[in-house]
Amino acid sequence: MSRIAYVNGRYLPLRDATVNIEDRGYQFSDGVYEVCEVRGGQLVDERRHIERLTRSLAELHIAMPLTPLALGVVLRETVRRNRVRWGIVYLQISRGVSRRDHAFPPPGTAPSVVVTARNLDFAKAEQLASEGVAVITVPDNRWERVDIKSVSLLPNVLAKQAAREAGAREAWFVDNQGRVTEGSSSNAWIITRDGKLVTRQADHAILRGITRTVVVDVATAQGLELEERAFTVEEAQGAREAFLTSASQIVIPVVQIDGRPVGNGAPGLVATALRRDFHRYAELT
Ligand code: PMP
C-alpha cells in the first residue's frame, strides 16, 4: 500500500506529494510542526497539540490556515488513508511560497500545510521501554525560543546523530551552567533519591511537551511530589531513576547517562508506572 500525504488541500501518493522549491519551509525553515501519537487509529491529545500549534504559529506571525476542527478532520483522514493503527501523524505548516526574501512575503500569501502519517513498530517501542536507553549529553547550542515548535532543528539533528554514533538513543542538551534542558526530541526527567519527580520548568529554554503535561497529571494522581526546576548532569547520574518523554515514545526509562548507570542501571518503578497509566489520562479522539 503506498503512503498518502495531505498537501495543501489534496491527498496524494507520497511520490506525487511535493512542495514548491520557493516554499519558505524549505528555504528558511520558516515553519512549525506537530507530532501526535496515534493509538488504535485514534489521535492522542489532539486538542493540546492543536493548542500548541496555534501558539507556535502566533509567535511566528503565521496565520492559522485551517480551523482546529478542519485540521482535526485532515489529521484523522490522513491517519485513515494510511491505515495507521499505532504510530504517528506529522503536521507541518510553513509561511508559504514566495520569491526568496528574508522578510515576510506579501500579506495574503497562503501558508503551506502538509500532513503525513505512519505506523510505528509497537514491539520495538515496548522493548525499549522494558530495557531502558542510554543518553549522552551535548552543549545546548540552540536559539533562545525553543518553546516554539519550529522546523528549524539543525542542533537537534546533530545532537541525535552524535547520540547514535555513541551508541545511545538520545542526546540531552546541557545549558552553560551544566543543567539539562531537554532531549533532542524529548523532555528529560529524574526521580531524586528521596523520590521526588523533577523536570525543568517550561520556560523559553524547553519545548513544553504534551506528553510532559499529561505525565504531570499522571504523577499527581499517583501521589508523586513534583518539582519543576533545572537539574545538573551530575544530579541525574546520581538519581534513583531518569526517563524521557515524547508523543511518539510516551515514557522511556533512561538507564545510562554519558556511560554512567542511573540508579541500579535498570528501568525504574516510577517511570514504568507512569508509562503504564499514561493513556488513562491522555485524551483519545
Ligand atoms: N522537546 C523537543 C525538542 C521535542 O522535539 C519533543 C518532541 N516533539 C519534545 C520535547 C516532547 O514533546 P511532546 O511530548 O509534545 O512530543
Side-chain angles (χ1 to χ4, degrees), residues 33-35 49 52 142 146 149 153 156 173 182-187 206-212 245-248:
Y33 75 107
E34 282 295 327
V35 176
H49 281 282
R52 185 172 65 184
R142 299 174 300 164
V146 299
K149 200 162 170 60
L153 291 171
N156 310 58
F173 287 119
E182 62 180 335
S184 72
S185 63
S186 57
N187 288 117
I206 69 161
L207 182 75
R208 185 189 286 268
I210 303 302
T211 319
R212 177 188 182 283
T245 58
S246 79
S248 58

Side-chain angles (χ1 to χ4, degrees), residues 250-268:
I250 309 305
V251 176
I252 299 283
V254 169
V255 295
Q256 206 186 82
I257 302 171
D258 285 339
R260 298 236 180 106
V262 178
N264 63 2

Side-chain angles (χ1 to χ4, degrees), residues 77-139:
E77 184 60 13
T78 309
V79 165
R80 193 186 67 78
R81 289 191 189 223
N82 287 283
R83 297 192 199 143
V84 179
R85 299 302 300 162
W86 189 82
I88 49 169
V89 58
Y90 174 84
L91 159 70
Q92 179 173 327
I93 299 179
S94 82
R95 203 181 300 277
V97 176
S98 188
R99 192 188 66 197
R100 189 177 182 281
D101 179 6
H102 287 65
F104 289 0
T109 302
S112 303
V113 183
V114 170
V115 181
T116 57
R118 67 184 171 93
N119 281 296
L120 291 179
D121 185 344
F122 188 77
K124 171 133 187 275
E126 288 304 310
Q127 190 190 342
L128 282 181
S130 66
E131 291 175 357
V133 298
V135 305
I136 60 163
T137 62
V138 295

